Amino acid sequence: MARNVVVTGGGTGIGLEVARRFAEAGERVVIVGRRPGVLDHAAQEIGTNVTPLVCDLADPDAVEAALPALPARIDVLVNNAGSRETVLGAGPHAVLARWRGDFERNVLTAVLLTESVRDRLTPGSGRVVTVSSIAALRGAGSYGAAKASLHAWNHFLAAQLGPSGITANIVAPGTVAGTEFFGPRLDDAEVARRSARTLLGRIGESGEVAAAVYFLASAEAGFVTGEILHCNGGELLGR
Ligand SMILES: NC(=O)c1ccc[n+]([C@@H]2O[C@H](COP(=O)([O-])OP(=O)(O)OC[C@H]3O[C@@H](n4cnc5c(N)ncnc54)[C@H](OP(=O)(O)O)[C@@H]3O)[C@@H](O)[C@H]2O)c1
């Protein structure tokens, strides 16, 4: 039977490849993001089994308003939406904006939705997969701290959902090409610099992260919970 899958940030980058992977396997996928045009384009590009849903997941009113449009039974929830706050500066107002922004963008987007739909997760087989980052373990200021918060929260979530037979895991990617995350900052020199930090000598592809998400959402991964699956070409250990 086809599963109901919700992929946040499913309109672009890693989330788009995650949505594609599930849709091509015949699952029903809802992709969530803030830009209707981007979501519509993604749904058309994938072709079948994909429904766009516009929602700012950092806004509790928007999450509440979106709930009726989400499936009554959710088999797989992929918390992938996130981005890096771009406010610069060292003054307390800039620091506050950066830290608050990164927390809202990367933690609240996952927590508000997951807590709102936790009673819809399928007992016995439900899966929650949350995308954090290598930055959670190797620094990166407020962004890394926000992603690290997801790791602590995931352990708590796995403990709460475990008695219902539902797993909760993290995928922590290293640098991934072809997404909106870095924009023009990921030029050739930056790709070379980041590639050199890995054991494979290259940065990753969105599809490779999607494969890790797909595994953790599979029936075969039913005894894996509370874990962090690193997907970074060996960058975490380094040379
Ligand atoms: N690319 C990398 O190298 C890398 C490395 C490690 C971890 N990650 C993580 O991977 C995840 C996916 O990033 P990506 O690289 O694929 O970048 P991306 O192309 O920018 O994707 C992020 C997606 O999240 C959505 N989104 C952001 N804020 C949202 C909100 N408040 N409500 C709803 N949707 C929201 C965006 O759509 P809208 O703007 O339309 O809302 C966008 O589709 C992120 O959590 C990122 O932190 C990326």
Side-chain angles (χ1 to χ4, degrees), residues 76-146:
V76 181
L77 171 60
V78 181
N79 291 311
N80 161 79
S83 60
R84 193 161 185 174
E85 177 60 65
T86 53
V87 173
L88 299 174
H93 290 285
V95 171
L96 177 65
R98 194 157 58 241
W99 280 74
R100 188 174 271 166
D102 271 329
F103 196 80
E104 287 179 358
R105 288 154 182 257
N106 295 286
V107 183
L108 293 185
T109 48
V111 174
L112 289 181
L113 181 62
T114 306
E115 295 296 338
S116 300
V117 301
R118 60 187 297 158
D119 292 343
R120 303 188 192 189
L121 296 168
T122 308
S125 60
R127 302 276 185 266
V128 181
V129 183
T130 298
V131 178
S132 75
S133 169
I134 192 172
L137 288 105
R138 295 203 58 173
S142 51
Y143 173 73

Side-chain angles (χ1 to χ4, degrees), residues 12 14 34-35 56-57 80 132 143 147 174 176 179-180:
T12 65
I14 293 169
R34 292 167 298 184
R35 291 168 295 172
D56 181 348
L57 294 164
N80 161 79
S132 75
Y143 173 73
K147 290 300 197 186
V176 175
T179 83
E180 295 182 350

